[in-house]
Amino acid sequence: MQTEVEAAGRRVLQRLEEAGHAAYFVGGYVRDRLLGRPIHDIDIATSARPETVMALFPDSLPTGIRHGTVTVRVDGHAFEVTTFRVERGYSDARHPDEVVFVDRIEEDLARRDFTVNAMALDRRGRLVDPFGGRDDLAARRIRCVGDPMRRFAEDGLRLVRAVRFAVQLDFAIEPQTWEALQACRATLRPVAHERIADELDKIMASPNPGRGFVLLFDSRLFAADDLAPYLAPEAWPDLTVLAVPEGVGTRWALLAVLLGWTEQEAESFARALRFSRERIDEVTTLVGQARQACPGEGATRHWQQLLLAHGLLRCLALADLCVAREAAGRPNALEQERAAAARLRERVRAIYATMPVHSLKDLAVDGRDLLEAIGRPPGPWVGRLLRELLTRVACGELPNDKERLLEYARERGDGT
Ligand code: ATP
Ligand code: MG
């Protein structure tokens, strides 16, 4: 089967070939196509130099021109076209000192991390596979291209990538690669946390994040890293339930809860990984909430209060987190736990839907109304009283009617 994107990609290869250059599909696209997995983007490698690529494709952008990458747009689809290259140096195990353009695809494939990522496919469907990538796909294993000790020493990020691909594809890590991975821990240290976070996030989003973290913990990959206090535990519980929550942020919060981190620890971890502000906030709040309480289906009033305090999305995530945590260490099927989480989320949605108000702006009175009605100087009592009115209206104990609310407020006085 050929999709529209693939057809457009073939036209890119064709135009390059017709101008006298070699051009191939490379990387994840080739791997995923051979596996019959869904494809998301298509990378192209060519012998043409970046200036030539830009000249051949008028609709192109020099996205990473220093590394030889040009983004070209053909028939509405974008492709990253990268000149065949090798990397020399790696003196700091982080950035190659120098990118050198080369003429042969085999040289370009040799710099790639794993055999299953080091295949190229031309537009006629011919596979270039100098390192046995197809055999490793069939054997379902992740193996470094060349000497694993050397390859990991060149770029420490590859250590985490090995685990990432193993869990994404449900492959084993080939024994020599696994041994080298443990021996090369120290090379992870200089790698930027943002890059590590991207890979860890992909592990967390995969169908079996628990397996990924067990591989990371078993190999003690992070033992020499700044992240060791979080990611090199001596012992850990069964992590299978990490696959229960839908959201990646919720899964991170669950990991924190399973490993017994406090809210502060979860926050410093999220900061250390340079997560987005939103993600930091999400993880921290969820951990804080989950450590306090995990209300069940019957706890209507508790959910109403949580919904007022944190909003619907956070509460749905909290429902997921609570069910998963309860399930930890229980030998129930994941499917069953996911169904239980879906039920609790439905329940929380239903509670939300029946609440007549969801925030102060829905309330029939505001601070000014209270000041006028009660005639006391402004102070913290106004906010307190508003929150109380909001809770009572949300829970159905008072109608959302201005007169009735002011009457209640007058009786209540300033709440002191
Ligand atoms: P995904 O499906 O996640 O995009 P991918 O295989 O395309 O998987 P990318 O991170 O997009 O992974 O990288 C594209 C290709 O570039 C890889 O398949 C690999 O050949 C090569 N590559 C990427 N990062 C490295 C690295 N750190 N060391 C060596 N080769 C790498
Ligand atoms: Mg990719």
Side-chain angles (χ1 to χ4, degrees), residues 186-388:
T187 63
L188 194 62
R189 228 188 137 73
V191 180
H193 282 176
E194 289 90 331
R195 296 177 73 207
I196 293 178
D198 279 351
E199 296 295 334
L200 290 179
D201 235 30
K202 288 181 179 170
I203 293 173
M204 201 51 116
S206 76
N208 192 356
R211 178 178 171 237
F213 284 90
V214 168
L215 287 171
L216 295 176
F217 297 165
D218 269 341
S219 60
R220 306 213 37 86
L221 202 58
F222 285 91
D225 192 85
D226 300 343
L227 297 169
Y230 311 100
L231 295 180
E234 293 297 330
W236 55 90
D238 186 283
L239 300 174
T240 320
V241 291
L242 284 178
V244 172
E246 291 189 323
V248 175
T250 317
R251 290 178 175 191
W252 275 116
L254 178 59
L255 180 70
V257 170
L258 292 175
L259 295 179
W261 303 351
T262 64
E263 194 175 338
Q264 286 72 31
E265 286 168 329
E267 181 173 1
S268 8
F269 171 75
R271 284 187 191 285
L273 272 191
R274 315 271 191 284
F275 277 162
S276 68
R277 271 194 61 126
E278 203 184 297
R279 170 67 65 76
I280 294 172
D281 189 52
E282 180 188 12
V283 173
T284 312
T285 318
L286 284 174
V287 171
Q289 281 310 315
R291 285 180 66 97
Q292 279 174 39
C294 270
E297 295 201 27
T300 308
R301 191 173 167 113
H302 195 164
W303 280 115
Q304 285 168 330
Q305 282 163 339
L306 288 171
L307 282 161
L308 289 177
H310 303 290
L312 181 60
L313 285 182
R314 276 294 142 73
C315 287
L316 294 175
L318 182 63
D320 250 359
L321 177 55
C322 288
V323 171
R325 183 172 75 170
E326 295 260 299
R330 251 204 334 239
N332 262 343
L334 272 182
E335 274 322 304
Q336 236 166 301
E337 302 304 343
R338 288 207 186 100
R343 272 199 309 277
L344 185 56
R345 287 199 307 271
E346 260 334 289
R347 176 80 188 114
V348 171
R349 263 185 217 284
I351 293 171
Y352 185 80
T354 57
M355 284 162 59
V357 289
H358 298 119
S359 72
L360 285 177
K361 70 178 184 344
D362 302 331
L363 206 59
V365 295
D366 60 16
R368 199 137 40 117
D369 298 330
L370 292 187
L371 285 170
E372 262 170 37
I374 293 181
R376 274 203 48 177
W381 65 271
V382 182
R384 265 201 310 268
L385 194 47
L386 279 173
R387 303 282 330 164
E388 182 186 339

Side-chain angles (χ1 to χ4, degrees), residues 12-13 15-17 19 21-23 44-63 65 67-74 79-84 101:
V12 177
L13 298 190
R15 201 180 297 175
L16 286 160
E17 277 186 15
H21 308 282
I44 289 172
T46 180
S47 61
R49 298 297 141 108
E51 319 79 68
T52 314
V53 176
M54 294 203 65
L56 282 170
F57 297 89
D59 196 359
S60 58
L61 280 172
T63 33
I65 199 100
H67 299 105
T69 303
V70 173
T71 301
V72 310
R73 188 170 275 283
V74 169
F79 301 91
E80 293 215 328
V81 179
T82 305
T83 304
F84 297 160
F101 296 139

Side-chain angles (χ1 to χ4, degrees), residues 304 308 354-358 389-398:
Q304 285 168 330
L308 289 177
T354 57
M355 284 162 59
V357 289
H358 298 119
L389 293 175
L390 178 67
T391 309
R392 290 191 182 278
V393 174
C395 300
E397 296 166 6
L398 282 173

Side-chain angles (χ1 to χ4, degrees), residues 89-102:
Y90 293 109
S91 53
D92 65 354
R94 191 165 27 162
H95 299 297
D97 292 341
E98 186 188 15
V99 166
V100 180
F101 296 139
V102 294

Side-chain angles (χ1 to χ4, degrees), residues 26-29 31-32 40-41 43 87 90 111-114 116-118 151 155 157-158 161 164-165 168 195 199 202:
V26 287
Y29 165 72
R31 178 196 69 221
D32 291 340
H40 43 101
D41 52 24
D43 290 326
E87 283 147 8
Y90 293 109
R111 72 160 167 97
R112 293 173 184 269
D113 45 8
F114 305 109
V116 295
N117 288 346
R151 302 315 307 284
D155 178 2
L157 188 69
R158 292 175 187 155
R161 285 173 62 85
R164 192 257 278 194
F165 288 113
Q168 274 187 334
R195 296 177 73 207
E199 296 295 334
K202 288 181 179 170

Side-chain angles (χ1 to χ4, degrees), residues 148-149 152 159 173-185 219 221:
M149 293 289 281
F152 286 141
L159 301 162
I173 298 178
E174 176 272 332
Q176 262 184 302
T177 299
W178 177 245
E179 219 167 277
L181 185 144
Q182 299 177 68
C184 292
R185 269 180 215 125
S219 60
L221 202 58

